[in-house]
C-alpha cells in the first residue's frame, strides 16, 4: 500500500537524478549527502525553508546555541543526542506529515474547494509550464493537458508555490468573505518572491543546513505551520511570530487531488489553489536571514529593504553587498544575517579561513504586476570566507578583481561607442541592443570565478598578488581581443573620423586614434599590477 508520510515511507527529497529519500533518512544521512536537487534553482530553497530548516531548528530548540552550532559544524555530523531529539520530534508528528490525509494533509487545507466547484490543472504549481495567465516561452503543455505529477513531485511543487507563487487574483475558496465575483484580490507573491535569496552552501547537506540556521533562542510562541491549528479555507491577516512561522508561512491555501492510474500508481493532475495568510510584519535583517539588504534615506529616515537579484547579472557582480557586514557602516547595503554569523565564527577562529564556502543565489523575475513569471534566476559562486573580514588582504583582492572586471567592460563599451560615432552611427541606449561590454563580462565570468575559488585557499600576500597579476593579464587579453573584433566590424572611415558639436556647443572629434588612446589609458589605470613599474615575480608562477 502506498505510504504518503513524508517522514517515513515516501521518498520525496531528491538527492540524485534517480534517488529520493524520506525526511528522517535524509536528516540521518545529511553528513554524507552533497546537496539537494530541484527541477529549477528555486525548488531547493523552498524545500529547505518550508521543511528541513524548521524541523531541525524546532527539534533542537534552545539546545542549538552558538557553541553547539560550532561543535556540530566541526564534527561534521549530528551527535547521537541531536539525532535522538530529531527522531522524537518527528515521531510525535507522524500524523501531520501525511500528504493525502483526509483530516490534516501536510501543507494543505482539508476540504478546500472553489465557489464554482472547479479544480485547476497541476501545472498551476509549476512556473515553467503554461497555466492561466502564465505563458512561458517554449511551453509544451496547456491547461487542457494536465501535468501528471508523482506524489514526490507534487509536494515539492506545492512547497515551491507557497514560497514563490505569483501575485494577483486567485480563485476564491468557499466562504471567503473577501471574495468578489469568485476571485480574491490583493494577493502578494510568495514570501521568497520579494527577496533575492542567498543560501550558504557547505561541503555536505548537514553543513548547509547548519550554515543556514541562525543561532540563539526562538521567539515566544514561534511555531511552524504543522504545529498550528489546521488550515481552514479562510485566510487571515496576522503578524509573524518568529523565524519558524516565517519559514513555513502559508501564503496560499492548497489542496492536492490525487487519482489512481490504470497501473495503480498515484498521480496529481488537478489541484485547488486559493488565497493564503497575509503577513502584517515587515521583513527586517533580524527576522529574515536569507537575503542581503539595501539602504536608502527617505524623509531623513533610513529605510532597510531586501535586495532582489538583477536578471542576467552574474552573482559575483554583487559581491560587495555580499561581504559588507552591518558593523562596516556602509550607507548602501549590508549582507545577510547568515553571512554575518559566518563572519563572527571566523573572527573567533571557530571557522578556518580556507573553508570552501559557496553561495547559491536564487530568485524569480515577475512581470505584469507580479502576476506572471518572466524568468527564474539561479547562480552560485565560491566565497572566500576571509573576505568577510574588513581588513584582510583577501577581501581587498576579491573586491578589486570584481571592480576591475566592471571597469574593463566599461572601457570596451566606451571604445565601441566612440568608434560608432566616428563612422556616423548612433550608440545604443542603456539597456537596448548588444553592448560590447556585455560580451566582455561574459568572457571574464569564468576567470572571476576561478580567481574567487583560488582565494578560498587563503594564500599568503605574495602568492595572492602574483595570482592577481595573472588575473589582470587575462583581463587585458580579453579586452584587447574585443577591441580587435570591434575594429574589424567597422569601415575604414573610423580612421579619419568625424566631428560633431555637443550639446554645450563644443566641437568634438571622434576617430580611431582618440578612441584607442582613451581605451589604453583606461587599461593602464585599471590593471595596476600589470602596468606598474614593478610587477614582481612572473604571473605564470601563480597561474
Amino acid at each position: 500500500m502506498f505510504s504518503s508520510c513524508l517522514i517515513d515511507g515516501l521518498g520525496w527529497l531528491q538527492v540524485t537524478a534517480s534517488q529520493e529519500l524520506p525526511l528522517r533518512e535524509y536528516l540521518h544521512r545529511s553528513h554524507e549527502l552533497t546537496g539537494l536537487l530541484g527541477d529549477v534553482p528555486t525548488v531547493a530553497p523552498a524545500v529547505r525553508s518550508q521543511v528541513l530548516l524548521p524541523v531541525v531548528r524546532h527539534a533542537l530548540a534552545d539546545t542549538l546555541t552558538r557553541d553547539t552550532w560550532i561543535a556540530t559544524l566541526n564534527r561534521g555530523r549530528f551527535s547521537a543526542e541531536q539525532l535522538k531529539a530529531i527522531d522524537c520530534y518527528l515521531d510525535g508528528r507522524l500524523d501531520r506529515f501525511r500528504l493525502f490525509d483526509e483530516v490534516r494533509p501536510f501543507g494543505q487545507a482539508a476540504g478546500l474547494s472553489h465557489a464554482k466547484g472547479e479544480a485547476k490543472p497541476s501545472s498551476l504549481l509549476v512556473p515553467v509550464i503554461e497555466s492561466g495567465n502564465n505563458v512561458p516561452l517554449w511551453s509544451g503543455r496547456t491547461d487542457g493537458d494536465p501535468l501528471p505529477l508523482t506524489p514526490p513531485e507534487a509536494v515539492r511543487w506545492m512547497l515551491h508555490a507557497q514560497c514563490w507563487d505569483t501575485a494577483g487574483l486567485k480563485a476564491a475558496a468557499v466562504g471567503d468573505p473577501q471574495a468578489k465575483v469568485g476571485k480574491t484580490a490583493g494577493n502578494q507573491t510568495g514570501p521568497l518572491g520579494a527577496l533575492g535569496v542567498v543560501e550558504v552552501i557547505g561541503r555536505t547537506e548537514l553543513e548547509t543546513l547548519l550554515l543556514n540556521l541562525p543561532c540563539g533562542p526562538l521567539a515566544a510562541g514561534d511555531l511552524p505551520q504543522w504545529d498550528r491549528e489546521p488550515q481552514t479555507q479562510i485566510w487571515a491577516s496576522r503578524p509573524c511570530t518568529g523565524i519558524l512561522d516565517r519559514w513555513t508561512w502559508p501564503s496560499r491555501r492548497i489542496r492536492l487531488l490525487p487519482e489512481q492510474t490504470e497501473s495503480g500508481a498515484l498521480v496529481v493532475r488537478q489541484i485547488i489553489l486559493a488565497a493564503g495568510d497575509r503577513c502584517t510584519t515587515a521583513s527586517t535583517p533580524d527576522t529574515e536571514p536569507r537575503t542581503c539588504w539595501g539602504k536608502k534615506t527617505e524623509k531623513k529616515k533610513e529605510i532597510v529593504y531586501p535586495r532582489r537579484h538583477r536578471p542576467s547579472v552574474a552573482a559575483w557582480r554583487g559581491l560587495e553587498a555580499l561581504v559588507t557586514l552591518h558593523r562596516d557602516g556602509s550607507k548602501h547595503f549590508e549582507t545577510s544575517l547568515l553571512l554575518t554569523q559566518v563572519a563572527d565564527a571566523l573572527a573567533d577562529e571557530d571557522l578556518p579561513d580556507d573553508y570552501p564556502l559557496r553561495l547559491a543565489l536564487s530568485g524569480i523575475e515577475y512581470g505584469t504586476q507580479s502576476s506572471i513569471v518572466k524568468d527564474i534566476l539561479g547562480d552560485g559562486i565560491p566565497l572566500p570566507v576571509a573576505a568577510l573580514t574588513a581588513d584582510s588582504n583577501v577581501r581587498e583582492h576579491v573586491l578589486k578583481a570584481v571592480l576591475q572586471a566592471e571597469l574593463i567592460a566599461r572601457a570596451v563599451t566606451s571604445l565601441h561607442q566612440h568608434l560608432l560615432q566616428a563612422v556616423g552611427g548612433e550608440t545604443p541606449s542603456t539597456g537596448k541592443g548588444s553592448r560590447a561590454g556585455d560580451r566582455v563580462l561574459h568572457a571574464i565570468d569564468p576567470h572571476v570565478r576561478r580567481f574567487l575559488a583560488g582565494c578560498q585557499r587563503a594564500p599568503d600576500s605574495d602568492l595572492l598578488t602574483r595570482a592577481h597579476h595573472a588575473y589582470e593579464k587575462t583581463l587585458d587579453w580579453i579586452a584587447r581581443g574585443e577591441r580587435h573584433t570591434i575594429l574589424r566590424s567597422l569601415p575604414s572611415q573610423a580612421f579619419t573620423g568625424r566631428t560633431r558639436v555637443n550639446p554645450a556647443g563644443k566641437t568634438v572629434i571622434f576617430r580611431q586614434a582618440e578612441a584607442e588612446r582613451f581605451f589604453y589609458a583606461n587599461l593602464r589605470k585599471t590593471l595596476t599590477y600589470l602596468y606598474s613599474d614593478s610587477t614582481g615575480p612572473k604571473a605564470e608562477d601563480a597561474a
Side-chain angles (χ1 to χ4, degrees), residues 416-452:
H416 190 205
Q417 291 177 342
H418 193 122
L419 291 172
L420 283 175
Q421 294 185 77
V423 297
E426 295 293 333
T427 60
S429 302
T430 302
K432 303 292 185 180
S434 176
R435 300 172 67 85
D438 295 336
R439 296 194 296 271
V440 169
L441 287 172
H442 179 73
I444 290 174
D445 182 88
H447 302 284
V448 177
R449 297 173 190 272
R450 181 183 177 189
F451 183 76
L452 293 175

Side-chain angles (χ1 to χ4, degrees), residues 25-94:
E25 184 178 355
Y26 189 88
L27 294 176
H28 274 256
R29 295 178 53 188
S30 59
H31 61 281
E32 61 187 59
L33 303 174
T34 56
L36 182 66
L37 298 184
D39 295 321
V40 293
T42 47
V43 168
V47 171
R48 289 194 183 101
S49 174
Q50 288 276 321
V51 179
L52 295 174
L53 293 175
V55 163
V56 174
R57 187 68 187 86
H58 203 203
L60 300 183
D62 293 340
T63 64
L64 187 67
T65 63
R66 187 178 184 281
D67 289 340
T68 58
W69 182 81
I70 290 294
T72 308
L73 192 62
N74 290 333
R75 186 171 55 245
R77 62 189 305 161
F78 288 123
S79 67
E81 293 78 11
Q82 289 172 326
L83 286 177
K84 182 178 179 181
I86 291 173
D87 282 342
C88 289
Y89 182 86
L90 295 177
D91 288 341
R93 292 163 175 79
L94 291 173

Side-chain angles (χ1 to χ4, degrees), residues 266-290:
L266 280 182
V267 296
V268 175
R269 288 193 174 92
Q270 292 185 315
I271 65 159
I272 297 173
L273 186 148
D277 290 351
R278 299 180 187 178
C279 185
T280 59
T281 309
S283 295
T284 67
D286 294 331
T287 61
E288 180 50 76
R290 296 164 289 186

